[in-house]
Amino acid sequence: MATNAGPIYGKQYIRYAETWEAAVDTEGGAVGTVEIGELRCVAPATYAGPFVAAAPDAFSGAISNICGVNQAYMPSALAQPYTARQLTVATSGLLLIEVAPGTPAITPNTPLQINVLGQAVAAGTPVSLDGTTPTVREAINIGGRALVLVSFA
């Protein structure tokens, strides 16, 4: 389900973004099942080739190094086989990340931690981007959607 809503971008400041290709298959070999949510962290899927990204649930093990924050929903290849698999991945700036439902309050000025879907959580896997640690700056609610504003170097 796409949740593209214009007002969310009012708080976000993207300094740099890159185009990545969305992975089609998981590292474990599940064909055509990689789905990537909007405003979620993605990691380099080196198993699929250079400049290919996927949500953390596509990997066989836990990931700690991300390549940025995906800016638009990407359906699985099985659900929409003719959709272009191009992602806009924000890599630097003050970026919005979706908070996992049911997560306790995330404390500002703490390192970003994510779950297997790439959503921000209070206790999860700490991540880094290019050797730097993204820091949660503010927890916000826009239109009933819980988000955190995170600073990326």
Side-chain angles (χ1 to χ4, degrees):
M1 169 177 72
T3 55
N4 300 329
I8 62 172
Y9 299 108
K11 278 269 204 195
Q12 178 169 257
Y13 168 72
I14 298 173
R15 186 179 302 126
Y16 296 111
E18 300 172 344
T19 301
W20 286 67
E21 181 181 347
V24 174
D25 307 331
T26 66
E27 188 173 27
V31 177
T33 58
V34 174
E35 177 181 17
I36 304 171
E38 174 189 48
L39 301 178
R40 295 186 185 178
C41 294
V42 291
T46 53
Y47 66 88
F51 289 100
V52 178
D57 64 345
F59 296 89
S60 299
I63 58 105
S64 61
N65 187 37
I66 61 173
C67 58
V69 180
N70 182 45
Q71 296 299 299
Y73 173 74
M74 176 59 64
S76 72
L78 289 176
Q80 293 187 2
Y82 301 108
T83 298
R85 308 278 309 156
Q86 300 299 302
L87 302 173
T88 299
V89 179
T91 59
S92 180
L94 198 55
L95 308 177
L96 288 168
I97 299 174
E98 181 180 30
V99 174
T103 294
I106 298 174
T107 308
N109 299 317
T110 59
L112 174 64
Q113 298 181 56
I114 62 171
N115 65 9
V116 296
L117 297 176
Q119 299 167 310
V121 292
T125 304
V127 294
S128 65
L129 175 77
D130 292 332
T132 64
T133 303
T135 305
V136 174
R137 295 295 177 203
E138 182 182 1
I140 56 177
N141 189 310
I142 300 175
R145 188 175 185 193
L147 302 161
V148 287
L149 206 50
V150 179
S151 63
F152 286 78

